[in-house]
Amino acid sequence: MMKCKQATRLMSLKQDRPLTRRERLSLRLHLTMCGACRACERQFSLLHRAGERYRPDDEDEPSPRG
């Protein structure tokens, strides 16, 4: 069975690219058995959504630093 460290790595990758079928299945299996990793996945998703909200709409806008 996948270890929590590997599951965390896949959860992070999932935010950047689609997982392969094998990765998805391995992660899903691990998440069914590990409550700590399920909580971690919820936090990854929350952080990802928060990051998307604060992404500037216009890349040409000057940054607050000048």
Side-chain angles (χ1 to χ4, degrees), residues 10-12 33 42 58:
L10 288 179
M11 285 183 256
S12 178
M33 302 173 75
R42 285 191 298 270
D58 187 0

Side-chain angles (χ1 to χ4, degrees), residues 34-47:
C34 182
C37 284
R38 283 194 302 273
C40 183
E41 185 184 44
R42 285 191 298 270
Q43 290 174 353
F44 267 113
S45 295
L46 177 69
L47 289 172

Side-chain angles (χ1 to χ4, degrees), residues 12 24-25 29 35 47 57-58 66:
S12 178
R24 281 193 317 268
L25 291 174
L29 177 63
L47 289 172
D57 292 333
D58 187 0

Side-chain angles (χ1 to χ4, degrees), residues 15-16 45-57:
Q15 303 302 320
D16 298 330
S45 295
L46 177 69
L47 289 172
H48 182 74
R49 286 193 310 269
E52 290 290 321
R53 279 187 146 184
Y54 291 106
R55 180 179 291 176
D57 292 333

